[in-house]
Amino acid sequence: MDIATFVNLTSRAWALPILSCLHDGVPGRQAPLLSAIGASRTAFAQSMEHLIRSGFLERNPGHGHPLRPEFRLTPAGKDAAAMAHKIQTVAAIDDLILLRRSWTLPVLTSLHQPKQFTEIRRNLTTITDRALSQSLKSMEDRNWVQRRVIDEVRPPRPIYSAINLGSAISQITGPQVSFAENNRR
């Protein structure tokens, strides 16, 4: 999966929990999925619509009532669901709030190897400096990212590395998400 698709996938808070539940075998209907993830109906509906538009889910033809449709994973959705399930499995319940934020997973994916702020920014072309700074700060507070300043060069350079749970998540997503070459220039 390319980074733009991954950023799009993680832009809805409940997209990965929905995919993880479907991977786990939860029936692809509204009531069981809502019960499994604990989202509001509105947020759930928006995330489901987003997953359908993005090509990760589709209506199961011939199954379900028109007012209570059944959904299934597409081939791309199966790959994303397997990754979502791995992420949900390594995270504790109190970590899930931070994982549902828009930029947490793309930033951790970018930190598959230690990087400077500008390198992370270059990999995630649509992120703003403020969003990246806030995301890194919130992950530093959770001890998922470490900021180390190299004083030997002028000006001093901070290097960010994924640690602890951040490293575990980065190891899951990093190999599965590719960064476009034009983003690295």
Side-chain angles (χ1 to χ4, degrees):
M1 164 182 326
D2 65 84
I3 189 64
T5 303
F6 188 65
V7 167
N8 183 43
L9 172 63
T10 59
S11 67
R12 291 286 178 179
W14 297 102
L16 286 180
I18 289 169
L19 290 175
S20 178
C21 285
L22 289 170
H23 179 79
D24 245 358
V26 174
R29 295 182 308 276
Q30 180 176 338
L33 285 170
L34 266 172
S35 175
I37 66 171
S40 71
R41 288 186 185 278
T42 303
F44 173 80
Q46 291 172 346
S47 293
M48 289 294 285
E49 182 60 33
H50 177 73
L51 289 168
I52 292 167
R53 273 192 323 253
S54 300
F56 295 106
L57 285 182
E58 63 186 2
R59 282 183 181 248
N60 194 353
H63 290 83
H65 185 275
L67 297 177
R68 292 180 300 280
E70 185 175 302
F71 299 93
R72 67 181 181 190
L73 294 167
T74 63
K78 288 178 183 176
D79 293 338
M83 181 172 50
H85 179 69
K86 288 178 188 174
I87 292 167
Q88 297 284 318
T89 301
V90 299
I93 291 174
D94 58 335
D95 296 324
L96 298 178
I97 293 170
L98 184 55
L99 286 176
R100 287 195 308 259
R101 290 190 185 165
S102 291
W103 289 106
T104 299
L105 288 168
V107 170
L108 285 175
T109 301
S110 181
L111 290 174
H112 187 60
Q113 297 177 345
K115 290 192 173 49
Q116 294 178 17
F117 186 93
T118 55
E119 293 174 302
I120 301 167
R121 173 79 170 88
R122 201 174 310 130
N123 282 336
L124 306 171
T125 58
T126 56
I127 195 170
T128 64
D129 288 343
R130 182 171 188 245
L132 177 55
S133 178
Q134 287 177 340
S135 186
L136 287 168
K137 178 69 176 127
S138 65
M139 287 187 281
E140 278 182 81
D141 292 344
R142 290 291 293 192
N143 210 18
W144 292 5
V145 170
Q146 179 183 38
R147 180 178 186 262
R148 190 172 41 93
V149 178
I150 300 175
D151 291 325
E152 292 80 38
V153 294
R154 289 279 176 216
R157 255 183 243 162
I159 302 288
Y160 296 91
S161 306
I163 58 171
N164 302 325
L165 180 60
S167 179
I169 293 170
S170 182
Q171 305 252 336
I172 292 168
T173 60
Q176 296 185 37
V177 177
S178 64
F179 295 92
E181 287 302 315
N182 61 357
N183 288 350
R184 295 185 178 206
R185 292 185 190 149

